[in-house]
Amino acid sequence: MTAHGASPWVGLRPFRMDDEPRFFGRSIETREVADLWQRNRVTLLIGDSGVGKTSLLHAGLVPFLANDGARVVPIGELSYRKTLPAPLLTARGRTLFALLSSWQPTLDPARSVGLTVAEFFRRQTAAAPPGASTLVAIDGAESALRRSGASKPEHRRFREELGVALQAFPGVQLLLSIRPDCVDDARAFAGVLGETPAQYVLRPLDRQSAIDALSRPLLGSHQQFDLGVPARLVDKLAVEHGTSGAAHVEPVLLQVLCTELWEGLRDGKTLSATVEKALDDVDAMLAEFCTRTLFTMTSDHGLPNCEIGGWMRRTFTTSPDEGSTYEARPAPRHDRPKEITDSVVRAVEDRHLLKYCRLSDEDGFQLQHPRMASALQRLGEAPAARPDPTPGDLLREAEKAMSADNLRIAERYARAVLAMTEGVHSEIHVSAYVILGDIAYLRSEHDVALQNYDNALAMAAMADARSPAVAYLFAAIARVHLMRGDTDNALGSARAGRLVPAGETTTTLELAQALWRANRHQAAVKELNFVLDRDPAHCEALRIRGEIYADWGKSRQALNDLRSVATAAPPSARAAYILAVHLDVPVSRGAIDELRDEGRTHGMVLLYLARSLYRRGDRYLAMDLADEALQATNPRLSRHHRAQAEKIARR
């Protein structure tokens, strides 16, 4: 029979929680990981890209534990989330916002801006029965734990805040889903907590589990495999795994097979005919998958079509002589030309063509599947046509690129969404403009950011002028005006956003900051008190009020607020704290230099440091910092604060 309706298989994406009825082949792993998670403070779920960690978490563990009565929080993620524009997140970092908002996906995302991990844990444990554990997980945790990104201030704050919260709440048990190259980093993080983490290595599917994953989603449908066909298909993909010699199947390649089967049915072929085509030439199927994937990546990274595929053929395949079959071989991580950057290698891994391996004395990579060695020799052999991507497909690619900090690629996809949806005002169109605004903001291109946020606001307001999205965009626009040093327009945008009740807290924070930069400290504090009366633990309101008090010369009040947000505090809060402490409290030159470097384009950080050092008698360094503050662009100083900096610089 040919295809009707939706595919019974999920295709080349992870299983979600609502896919649990068609998630097969991982029942043993689900029970074993659930047992470890419930018995240990820290558990590491370790596996290669494409082995199914995300699917196991969402469609296996969460439903299993929830049905068993455990208190399990929705799976945490660190990837880019377009639910709030970037200007509203950057004080504490996008990583912390992504984690907290993914842990509470049904709530207003703006509530995660004012939340700390410790406060989230406090609320979760307070609602738990006495003695009950709270299970939390972070998928893709390697992005914030890897040594290569350890120096990023945003990731450092993430690790500090998470560690402090875990120490404060022993009833919380954490699972970290990571790739193999991050095991030592994750163990080091757990070691700081005084914990030895439990470890579970997720392997590819065994033969019977792969058969179940392939065939059982068809149960109850009008499409059925002939007797013995699923086993024949699985055996085509199976390879010996590890020292046991048992046959295993890579889940991602099983999903490639399922996608090919479904596309054959969509093209009008019968299931039997599609199966026979796959059985006849699995290498051709894999070559089509590799060709499509490599074409996308070379286009994304601006490389010639053959660049990545040629590197993979040369580096990860070998043949004893001209007439022999090509075989897969591992290679060191650094074995690549300069055109193949770390970003490209990570993209190849994320697209499930390579996976990490440990060589005798260094890290390396190998092909995701040994049969890819033959498939790579056949790149470009008339790949089967596929439907053009939808605007939703392109938007998801833009979000993936944002998660990987590939702003150029994200911009390319977001602009493609706009071109495809020209003249159609839709939520996808709004999202594309928000992403373009975020890209410009992260590049400190404030005028471009304003233009894109204004476009998104106009479309969002046409759809529903009272929606939270409208308030968030007004608040983002206000923040960008503040970054430009334009307090008048910041006040106007924040006040306009206040007319939308759904986003009142967010726009109140921006209004308070605009009032402060306009030298109206008392009015600004009044606005923040309005937020804190309803939520005394709102960390962003406390941070802003603490900075205002420090700037205002009210040291005691400033220290009270800033101490409460000391964990993972952004550089502006740490610099304001130095300004507020008494002169007899020593401040190390190392702390000054660290903040000066981290806040080298942040006008307020540099001004706080200049004022503090001037008071302490270090006039020359204070003058240098004041000069730097006057040149800073992210944010620029307002008129009121420029006058302070000029006064120090002239002396």
PDB file of all heavy atoms in Angstrom, residues 140-163:
ATOM      1  N   GLY A 140      22.176  17.712  26.502  1.00  0.00           N
ATOM      2  CA  GLY A 140      23.190  18.492  25.795  1.00  0.00           C
ATOM      3  C   GLY A 140      24.040  19.338  26.715  1.00  0.00           C
ATOM      4  O   GLY A 140      24.495  20.422  26.346  1.00  0.00           O
ATOM      5  N   ALA A 141      24.294  18.840  27.934  1.00  0.00           N
ATOM      6  CA  ALA A 141      25.020  19.634  28.929  1.00  0.00           C
ATOM      7  C   ALA A 141      26.465  19.898  28.530  1.00  0.00           C
ATOM      8  O   ALA A 141      27.108  20.789  29.090  1.00  0.00           O
ATOM      9  CB  ALA A 141      24.968  18.928  30.285  1.00  0.00           C
ATOM     10  N   GLU A 142      26.984  19.140  27.549  1.00  0.00           N
ATOM     11  CA  GLU A 142      28.382  19.339  27.163  1.00  0.00           C
ATOM     12  C   GLU A 142      28.657  20.753  26.658  1.00  0.00           C
ATOM     13  O   GLU A 142      29.772  21.252  26.766  1.00  0.00           O
ATOM     14  CB  GLU A 142      28.806  18.321  26.095  1.00  0.00           C
ATOM     15  CG  GLU A 142      28.116  18.454  24.756  1.00  0.00           C
ATOM     16  CD  GLU A 142      26.810  17.686  24.677  1.00  0.00           C
ATOM     17  OE1 GLU A 142      26.492  16.947  25.617  1.00  0.00           O
ATOM     18  OE2 GLU A 142      26.112  17.833  23.651  1.00  0.00           O
ATOM     19  N   SER A 143      27.647  21.420  26.121  1.00  0.00           N
ATOM     20  CA  SER A 143      27.882  22.755  25.567  1.00  0.00           C
ATOM     21  C   SER A 143      28.326  23.750  26.633  1.00  0.00           C
ATOM     22  O   SER A 143      29.025  24.725  26.320  1.00  0.00           O
ATOM     23  CB  SER A 143      26.622  23.268  24.860  1.00  0.00           C
ATOM     24  OG  SER A 143      25.560  23.434  25.777  1.00  0.00           O
ATOM     25  N   ALA A 144      27.937  23.529  27.894  1.00  0.00           N
ATOM     26  CA  ALA A 144      28.332  24.435  28.974  1.00  0.00           C
ATOM     27  C   ALA A 144      29.415  23.846  29.873  1.00  0.00           C
ATOM     28  O   ALA A 144      29.950  24.559  30.724  1.00  0.00           O
ATOM     29  CB  ALA A 144      27.120  24.800  29.827  1.00  0.00           C
ATOM     30  N   LEU A 145      29.743  22.566  29.694  1.00  0.00           N
ATOM     31  CA  LEU A 145      30.716  21.913  30.568  1.00  0.00           C
ATOM     32  C   LEU A 145      32.061  21.672  29.899  1.00  0.00           C
ATOM     33  O   LEU A 145      33.065  21.492  30.581  1.00  0.00           O
ATOM     34  CB  LEU A 145      30.167  20.568  31.055  1.00  0.00           C
ATOM     35  CG  LEU A 145      28.920  20.602  31.934  1.00  0.00           C
ATOM     36  CD1 LEU A 145      28.494  19.185  32.300  1.00  0.00           C
ATOM     37  CD2 LEU A 145      29.160  21.413  33.203  1.00  0.00           C
ATOM     38  N   ARG A 146      32.095  21.635  28.568  1.00  0.00           N
ATOM     39  CA  ARG A 146      33.345  21.329  27.861  1.00  0.00           C
ATOM     40  C   ARG A 146      34.452  22.318  28.206  1.00  0.00           C
ATOM     41  O   ARG A 146      34.217  23.509  28.370  1.00  0.00           O
ATOM     42  CB  ARG A 146      33.128  21.382  26.345  1.00  0.00           C
ATOM     43  CG  ARG A 146      32.550  20.127  25.740  1.00  0.00           C
ATOM     44  CD  ARG A 146      32.719  20.175  24.226  1.00  0.00           C
ATOM     45  NE  ARG A 146      32.097  19.047  23.581  1.00  0.00           N
ATOM     46  CZ  ARG A 146      31.003  19.114  22.822  1.00  0.00           C
ATOM     47  NH1 ARG A 146      30.418  20.284  22.627  1.00  0.00           N
ATOM     48  NH2 ARG A 146      30.511  18.028  22.251  1.00  0.00           N
ATOM     49  N   ARG A 147      35.675  21.809  28.247  1.00  0.00           N
ATOM     50  CA  ARG A 147      36.832  22.679  28.503  1.00  0.00           C
ATOM     51  C   ARG A 147      36.952  23.768  27.453  1.00  0.00           C
ATOM     52  O   ARG A 147      37.360  24.882  27.749  1.00  0.00           O
ATOM     53  CB  ARG A 147      38.120  21.843  28.511  1.00  0.00           C
ATOM     54  CG  ARG A 147      38.310  20.976  29.735  1.00  0.00           C
ATOM     55  CD  ARG A 147      39.695  20.326  29.729  1.00  0.00           C
ATOM     56  NE  ARG A 147      39.891  19.472  28.571  1.00  0.00           N
ATOM     57  CZ  ARG A 147      39.558  18.182  28.521  1.00  0.00           C
ATOM     58  NH1 ARG A 147      38.982  17.625  29.571  1.00  0.00           N
ATOM     59  NH2 ARG A 147      39.792  17.463  27.441  1.00  0.00           N
ATOM     60  N   SER A 148      36.597  23.444  26.209  1.00  0.00           N
ATOM     61  CA  SER A 148      36.741  24.422  25.130  1.00  0.00           C
ATOM     62  C   SER A 148      35.881  25.656  25.346  1.00  0.00           C
ATOM     63  O   SER A 148      36.186  26.730  24.837  1.00  0.00           O
ATOM     64  CB  SER A 148      36.388  23.771  23.785  1.00  0.00           C
ATOM     65  OG  SER A 148      35.053  23.277  23.810  1.00  0.00           O
ATOM     66  N   GLY A 149      34.786  25.509  26.089  1.00  0.00           N
ATOM     67  CA  GLY A 149      33.926  26.662  26.361  1.00  0.00           C
ATOM     68  C   GLY A 149      33.949  27.098  27.810  1.00  0.00           C
ATOM     69  O   GLY A 149      33.158  27.942  28.224  1.00  0.00           O
ATOM     70  N   ALA A 150      34.883  26.521  28.580  1.00  0.00           N
ATOM     71  CA  ALA A 150      34.888  26.783  30.021  1.00  0.00           C
ATOM     72  C   ALA A 150      35.189  28.234  30.356  1.00  0.00           C
ATOM     73  O   ALA A 150      34.788  28.733  31.403  1.00  0.00           O
ATOM     74  CB  ALA A 150      35.901  25.870  30.712  1.00  0.00           C
ATOM     75  N   SER A 151      35.923  28.921  29.465  1.00  0.00           N
ATOM     76  CA  SER A 151      36.305  30.299  29.760  1.00  0.00           C
ATOM     77  C   SER A 151      35.194  31.302  29.461  1.00  0.00           C
ATOM     78  O   SER A 151      35.306  32.471  29.843  1.00  0.00           O
ATOM     79  CB  SER A 151      37.563  30.666  28.969  1.00  0.00           C
ATOM     80  OG  SER A 151      37.306  30.569  27.571  1.00  0.00           O
ATOM     81  N   LYS A 152      34.132  30.883  28.781  1.00  0.00           N
ATOM     82  CA  LYS A 152      33.058  31.823  28.479  1.00  0.00           C
ATOM     83  C   LYS A 152      32.386  32.252  29.780  1.00  0.00           C
ATOM     84  O   LYS A 152      31.923  31.398  30.542  1.00  0.00           O
ATOM     85  CB  LYS A 152      32.034  31.178  27.540  1.00  0.00           C
ATOM     86  CG  LYS A 152      32.541  30.940  26.131  1.00  0.00           C
ATOM     87  CD  LYS A 152      31.461  30.375  25.236  1.00  0.00           C
ATOM     88  CE  LYS A 152      30.342  31.368  24.987  1.00  0.00           C
ATOM     89  NZ  LYS A 152      29.391  30.868  23.970  1.00  0.00           N
ATOM     90  N   PRO A 153      32.313  33.550  30.061  1.00  0.00           N
ATOM     91  CA  PRO A 153      31.704  33.989  31.323  1.00  0.00           C
ATOM     92  C   PRO A 153      30.293  33.447  31.521  1.00  0.00           C
ATOM     93  O   PRO A 153      29.912  33.095  32.637  1.00  0.00           O
ATOM     94  CB  PRO A 153      31.713  35.521  31.184  1.00  0.00           C
ATOM     95  CG  PRO A 153      32.836  35.813  30.247  1.00  0.00           C
ATOM     96  CD  PRO A 153      32.840  34.672  29.267  1.00  0.00           C
ATOM     97  N   GLU A 154      29.520  33.370  30.447  1.00  0.00           N
ATOM     98  CA  GLU A 154      28.155  32.880  30.555  1.00  0.00           C
ATOM     99  C   GLU A 154      28.125  31.437  31.053  1.00  0.00           C
ATOM    100  O   GLU A 154      27.306  31.062  31.882  1.00  0.00           O
ATOM    101  CB  GLU A 154      27.472  32.985  29.189  1.00  0.00           C
ATOM    102  CG  GLU A 154      26.047  32.496  29.162  1.00  0.00           C
ATOM    103  CD  GLU A 154      25.405  32.721  27.809  1.00  0.00           C
ATOM    104  OE1 GLU A 154      25.563  33.823  27.257  1.00  0.00           O
ATOM    105  OE2 GLU A 154      24.752  31.788  27.315  1.00  0.00           O
ATOM    106  N   HIS A 155      29.035  30.607  30.558  1.00  0.00           N
ATOM    107  CA  HIS A 155      29.086  29.206  30.984  1.00  0.00           C
ATOM    108  C   HIS A 155      29.651  29.085  32.394  1.00  0.00           C
ATOM    109  O   HIS A 155      29.227  28.204  33.159  1.00  0.00           O
ATOM    110  CB  HIS A 155      29.917  28.395  29.998  1.00  0.00           C
ATOM    111  CG  HIS A 155      29.250  28.225  28.670  1.00  0.00           C
ATOM    112  ND1 HIS A 155      29.909  27.762  27.552  1.00  0.00           N
ATOM    113  CD2 HIS A 155      27.973  28.464  28.273  1.00  0.00           C
ATOM    114  CE1 HIS A 155      29.071  27.717  26.533  1.00  0.00           C
ATOM    115  NE2 HIS A 155      27.898  28.149  26.946  1.00  0.00           N
ATOM    116  N   ARG A 156      30.593  29.948  32.733  1.00  0.00           N
ATOM    117  CA  ARG A 156      31.112  29.933  34.102  1.00  0.00           C
ATOM    118  C   ARG A 156      30.013  30.280  35.094  1.00  0.00           C
ATOM    119  O   ARG A 156      29.863  29.612  36.132  1.00  0.00           O
ATOM    120  CB  ARG A 156      32.275  30.921  34.237  1.00  0.00           C
ATOM    121  CG  ARG A 156      32.940  30.870  35.616  1.00  0.00           C
ATOM    122  CD  ARG A 156      34.076  31.857  35.735  1.00  0.00           C
ATOM    123  NE  ARG A 156      33.601  33.233  35.738  1.00  0.00           N
ATOM    124  CZ  ARG A 156      33.878  34.126  34.796  1.00  0.00           C
ATOM    125  NH1 ARG A 156      34.605  33.786  33.759  1.00  0.00           N
ATOM    126  NH2 ARG A 156      33.413  35.365  34.877  1.00  0.00           N
ATOM    127  N   ARG A 157      29.211  31.285  34.795  1.00  0.00           N
ATOM    128  CA  ARG A 157      28.111  31.649  35.691  1.00  0.00           C
ATOM    129  C   ARG A 157      27.095  30.512  35.791  1.00  0.00           C
ATOM    130  O   ARG A 157      26.546  30.251  36.865  1.00  0.00           O
ATOM    131  CB  ARG A 157      27.440  32.934  35.196  1.00  0.00           C
ATOM    132  CG  ARG A 157      28.312  34.166  35.343  1.00  0.00           C
ATOM    133  CD  ARG A 157      27.484  35.441  35.233  1.00  0.00           C
ATOM    134  NE  ARG A 157      26.969  35.660  33.899  1.00  0.00           N
ATOM    135  CZ  ARG A 157      27.590  36.342  32.947  1.00  0.00           C
ATOM    136  NH1 ARG A 157      28.798  36.843  33.192  1.00  0.00           N
ATOM    137  NH2 ARG A 157      27.051  36.523  31.768  1.00  0.00           N
ATOM    138  N   PHE A 158      26.851  29.838  34.669  1.00  0.00           N
ATOM    139  CA  PHE A 158      25.925  28.709  34.670  1.00  0.00           C
ATOM    140  C   PHE A 158      26.407  27.614  35.627  1.00  0.00           C
ATOM    141  O   PHE A 158      25.646  27.110  36.459  1.00  0.00           O
ATOM    142  CB  PHE A 158      25.803  28.158  33.250  1.00  0.00           C
ATOM    143  CG  PHE A 158      25.157  26.806  33.155  1.00  0.00           C
ATOM    144  CD1 PHE A 158      23.780  26.683  33.128  1.00  0.00           C
ATOM    145  CD2 PHE A 158      25.928  25.651  33.104  1.00  0.00           C
ATOM    146  CE1 PHE A 158      23.187  25.429  33.043  1.00  0.00           C
ATOM    147  CE2 PHE A 158      25.349  24.405  33.021  1.00  0.00           C
ATOM    148  CZ  PHE A 158      23.969  24.292  32.995  1.00  0.00           C
ATOM    149  N   ARG A 159      27.678  27.254  35.532  1.00  0.00           N
ATOM    150  CA  ARG A 159      28.205  26.192  36.392  1.00  0.00           C
ATOM    151  C   ARG A 159      28.187  26.611  37.856  1.00  0.00           C
ATOM    152  O   ARG A 159      27.852  25.807  38.738  1.00  0.00           O
ATOM    153  CB  ARG A 159      29.627  25.821  35.960  1.00  0.00           C
ATOM    154  CG  ARG A 159      29.707  25.145  34.598  1.00  0.00           C
ATOM    155  CD  ARG A 159      31.090  24.581  34.336  1.00  0.00           C
ATOM    156  NE  ARG A 159      32.121  25.600  34.350  1.00  0.00           N
ATOM    157  CZ  ARG A 159      32.464  26.344  33.310  1.00  0.00           C
ATOM    158  NH1 ARG A 159      31.838  26.201  32.151  1.00  0.00           N
ATOM    159  NH2 ARG A 159      33.425  27.241  33.397  1.00  0.00           N
ATOM    160  N   GLU A 160      28.528  27.862  38.127  1.00  0.00           N
ATOM    161  CA  GLU A 160      28.527  28.335  39.507  1.00  0.00           C
ATOM    162  C   GLU A 160      27.126  28.290  40.107  1.00  0.00           C
ATOM    163  O   GLU A 160      26.928  27.797  41.226  1.00  0.00           O
ATOM    164  CB  GLU A 160      29.072  29.767  39.566  1.00  0.00           C
ATOM    165  CG  GLU A 160      30.565  29.880  39.292  1.00  0.00           C
ATOM    166  CD  GLU A 160      31.015  31.322  39.205  1.00  0.00           C
ATOM    167  OE1 GLU A 160      30.141  32.229  39.295  1.00  0.00           O
ATOM    168  OE2 GLU A 160      32.223  31.571  39.031  1.00  0.00           O
ATOM    169  N   GLU A 161      26.154  28.796  39.364  1.00  0.00           N
ATOM    170  CA  GLU A 161      24.800  28.863  39.903  1.00  0.00           C
ATOM    171  C   GLU A 161      24.209  27.469  40.088  1.00  0.00           C
ATOM    172  O   GLU A 161      23.564  27.179  41.099  1.00  0.00           O
ATOM    173  CB  GLU A 161      23.904  29.708  38.996  1.00  0.00           C
ATOM    174  CG  GLU A 161      22.518  29.885  39.564  1.00  0.00           C
ATOM    175  CD  GLU A 161      21.724  30.994  38.889  1.00  0.00           C
ATOM    176  OE1 GLU A 161      22.318  32.028  38.534  1.00  0.00           O
ATOM    177  OE2 GLU A 161      20.510  30.812  38.734  1.00  0.00           O
ATOM    178  N   LEU A 162      24.432  26.595  39.119  1.00  0.00           N
ATOM    179  CA  LEU A 162      23.922  25.229  39.238  1.00  0.00           C
ATOM    180  C   LEU A 162      24.586  24.513  40.412  1.00  0.00           C
ATOM    181  O   LEU A 162      23.913  23.815  41.192  1.00  0.00           O
ATOM    182  CB  LEU A 162      24.172  24.471  37.935  1.00  0.00           C
ATOM    183  CG  LEU A 162      23.708  23.011  37.903  1.00  0.00           C
ATOM    184  CD1 LEU A 162      22.202  22.898  38.111  1.00  0.00           C
ATOM    185  CD2 LEU A 162      24.113  22.360  36.575  1.00  0.00           C
ATOM    186  N   GLY A 163      25.900  24.677  40.573  1.00  0.00           N
ATOM    187  CA  GLY A 163      26.602  24.013  41.662  1.00  0.00           C
ATOM    188  C   GLY A 163      26.139  24.481  43.029  1.00  0.00           C
ATOM    189  O   GLY A 163      25.905  23.661  43.929  1.00  0.00           O
TER     190      GLY A 163
END
